[in-house]
Amino acid sequence: MTVILNVEPKNYSAAARAILEDLGEVREGPLTRAALLDALSDVDVLIVRLAHQIDAEVLDAAPRLRAIVSATTGLDHIDLQAAEARGVAVLSLRGETEFLRSIPATAEHTWALLLALVRHIPQAFASVLAGEWDRDRFKGHDLAGKRLGILGLGRIGEKIARYGRVFGMQVAAYDPYRADWPDGVARRATMADLLADSEVLSVHVPLNASTVRLLGADELRQLPRGALLVNTARGQVLDEAALLDALESGHLGGAALDVLWNERSGAAESPLAAYARAHDNLLITPHIGGATYESMAATEIFMARKLRRFLQGGS
Ligand code: NAD
């Protein structure tokens, strides 16, 4: 009997669960890391989200493991080399371009963050909750007419380009790996060209060796004074100390982040969280970009079917 351990089953789609139950014995977390290490000895398939770092220690605790299933495109929570070395397949959404085009959650959240940032929505609502009705304190900015720069024009970046155009923004992007190019998006030849021109910069690159700290102090300085930055990609693509400096010096007008460098351990202690507590121009959400019922159910069902094909000996 195939043993499937689903470590983060909260709100898991019932339809996906039904597929898994046809495939074997399904066990469910949630588990601390210590409990996870103890629970793996007879597990064949491990279904994860982002709560756990699946590293060599976890893999060594799972001698029967055949597959790790992650309904994500980013795979930095899994040690891919360690998995490959042990012959463990990693099934994910990476490369599932056609399916992913139908998933809007992270792009919609990116846009929600941008609107919340330019219109001070969290602070305005907090003031209403505090019994105030102050129409002067929350004057914001238009998006229409502004220059939107998109770093990484993949699945999410392309949706953001479309939203930007609908909002009347001038949209440009930098993506050196992309062959085709959508209409209505100006192509920038270098990242420096994009940065120099972006009143709003939205970051949508994958995290890999060449994108760690892609945006450091030098790059942030290339943005026009007062620019806004939105990052829903991965915390590590941004040098957070440089971002803090750029906010404190006033060079950046504001930022909105859905991801932090150390979000799995000690996000609350992040200097950025401390800055956000004391200032209105930094918004942080706890990596909820992809977290909608519709998008998560669709991805869970897709991954359960992919696991079925894998267990039946397909690709
Ligand atoms: P994607 O692979 O479809 O697109 C990424 C694009 O970035 C590609 O077109 C690639 O060519 C380009 N790129 C790579 N390196 C680059 C560089 N150095 N400069 C410019 N462009 C570069 O990925 P996606 O599905 O659009 O995801 C984008 C990001 O969003 C990823 O980091 C992913 O992990 C993250 N993400 C976050 C959430 C969330 O909940 N916040 C959810 C899903 C995805």
Side-chain angles (χ1 to χ4, degrees), residues 50 71-76 93-95 97 100-101 103 105-107 109-110 150-158 174-178 191 194 203-208 210-211 214 231-234 237 258-259 263 285-291:
L50 297 174
T72 56
T73 46
L75 291 174
D76 40 296
L93 295 174
R94 184 167 282 183
T97 318
L100 287 169
R101 278 190 209 288
I103 302 296
T106 306
H109 186 65
T110 305
I150 297 169
L151 188 58
L153 194 65
R155 171 182 69 100
I156 296 170
E158 196 169 329
Y174 169 67
D175 189 326
Y177 306 108
R178 202 174 150 142
M191 188 164 84
L194 181 77
V203 183
H204 304 288
V205 292
L207 176 63
N208 57 42
S210 66
T211 60
L214 185 63
N231 181 17
T232 59
R234 283 293 182 268
V237 303
D258 187 45
V259 285
E263 62 183 46
T285 51
H287 203 147
I288 56 173

Side-chain angles (χ1 to χ4, degrees), residues 169-241:
M169 302 181 81
Q170 299 168 48
V171 182
Y174 169 67
D175 189 326
Y177 306 108
R178 202 174 150 142
D180 64 322
W181 201 258
D183 290 340
V185 180
R187 184 164 200 164
R188 297 290 178 245
T190 65
M191 188 164 84
D193 288 346
L194 181 77
L195 296 176
D197 202 27
S198 297
E199 292 165 288
V200 175
L201 183 76
S202 198
V203 183
H204 304 288
V205 292
L207 176 63
N208 57 42
S210 66
T211 60
V212 176
R213 286 203 172 87
L214 185 63
L215 294 169
D218 287 347
E219 289 72 26
L220 295 179
R221 253 194 301 277
Q222 291 165 29
L223 287 164
R225 193 171 177 80
L228 305 176
L229 177 88
V230 183
N231 181 17
T232 59
R234 283 293 182 268
Q236 291 87 336
V237 303
L238 194 60
D239 181 328
E240 293 186 344

